[in-house]
Amino acid sequence: MTDQLLPTNATSLETAVEAACDPTSRVTPGIEVISGWKHSLRPPDLLPFLVHEYGLDILLPYLDNLSDILNQGLPWSRARGTHDAVALGLAMTGYSGLLVDPPARRLAWAEFQILLDRVRDVPADLDRISGLVDLSVPVRSTFRRGVHGYDFPAAETGYTRLGDCIVGDDSGVHLKHGAPKWSFGRSHQVEHTLTEADLTALGIWIPDVPSEQWVDMDFPWNTADLKWSEDVELARRVSFGAALAAMTCWLRFADGEGATIGYRLAACRSVAVGLNGYAFGSDFYTPSLTSPIGVHVFARTDWGDGFSQEAASVSAVFGADVADPSRPGALWLDPAGLSGGTEVASYPISIVFGETIREHVQFLMRF
């Protein structure tokens, strides 16, 4: 009520009564607070009602903090149905990624994949990522696959008559029917120098030859598989590499107590430094039978190998036999799957095996 509401012929008594009954001084502070109350103050007991008011209830299964839902959900809701909404949805889960649409010529032109910035932190994050992405994209689009560290797409046959088909399938695994496929990979590298004790235990040790004279040779003649014209030290390395490559090799994963989690079949190759080949650190190593500097031992676990267990160490086991004859060609063996063999190069490692992650472990063993 203000002076302007009184008629022009108001008496002094009416003006005084109006001033005495005017509630403006009492209610104005409350009105000014209410105008920004739910935006600036946001009392905790009001947050559930604000989330419902803004239509952000759909985010409740994926985000626990109501303040985060309001702060991040409002700009996300305005961008729903676009690539920007996917980026905002991933940010809510703490991830980022590049959305890759398939070529328009493909029949499944609406099925996209996301190249994530890292391997998932915990398995539960996968449901949060897929849920928020599905809410972010248009109804016609389908989140088909999430990738980081291990990406082998299906082969495509070109634009000829055969080009309408895809050969094979993308790498990855589905955790449940109708869910996206996940394809993650991590790499672990270990460098080791094979000592005399290692090579002796493996039964392939050749003593150093102090000179180029045959008379100084300190090993049986029938074991000398080197050419008379070869450099002696080079011949020793060639012999070591050939002997190791001829043995079966397994990587042994053990837990913090030293108990075996499992064995993964590995490949062993004599290698030399090159411009391409096996990437190890900042260098490349190419297979070489004539001038090796060591051997490259490597294996990649399959989806679900050792699932839910944590490896604290990894080592190489040479010359072991598969304990169960009914499992020829097995790539992953349980703790009792091997018999015999010689274990070398045990190193600490931290691997939590997952259903959607393949672990690539490499050893560079120098002579």
Side-chain angles (χ1 to χ4, degrees), residues 244-317:
L244 288 171
M247 299 181 186
T248 57
C249 182
W250 297 79
L251 294 187
R252 172 181 176 264
F253 297 94
D255 60 21
E257 302 298 325
T260 301
I261 295 174
Y263 300 93
R264 181 70 183 185
L265 185 63
C268 179
R269 303 285 185 268
S270 297
V271 293
V273 179
L275 297 177
N276 51 35
Y278 304 118
F280 191 95
S282 59
D283 298 320
F284 289 92
Y285 294 87
T286 184
S288 174
L289 299 176
T290 57
S291 58
I293 57 94
V295 291
H296 182 240
V297 177
F298 57 95
R300 193 188 298 272
T301 63
D302 205 350
W303 318 109
D305 284 350
F307 173 57
S308 77
Q309 301 186 74
E310 182 174 359
S313 66
V314 62
S315 58
V317 179

Side-chain angles (χ1 to χ4, degrees), residues 188-239:
H188 313 271
Q189 298 180 343
V190 178
E191 192 165 355
H192 176 74
T193 299
L194 289 165
T195 63
E196 178 180 345
D198 292 335
L199 297 171
T200 301
L202 292 167
I204 61 172
W205 169 249
I206 299 176
D208 293 325
V209 178
S211 72
E212 300 287 338
Q213 302 295 322
W214 288 108
V215 69
D216 294 322
M217 186 173 65
D218 188 22
F219 50 88
W221 183 266
N222 60 0
T223 65
D225 56 353
L226 50 103
K227 298 178 181 179
W228 68 269
S229 59
E230 285 182 344
D231 175 81
V232 176
E233 181 57 33
L234 175 60
R236 287 180 75 244
R237 298 201 305 270
V238 170
S239 179

Side-chain angles (χ1 to χ4, degrees), residues 4 116 136 150 195 222 275 297 362:
Q4 286 74 14
L116 294 167
S136 302
Y150 185 78
T195 63
N222 60 0
L275 297 177
V297 177
Q362 304 178 76

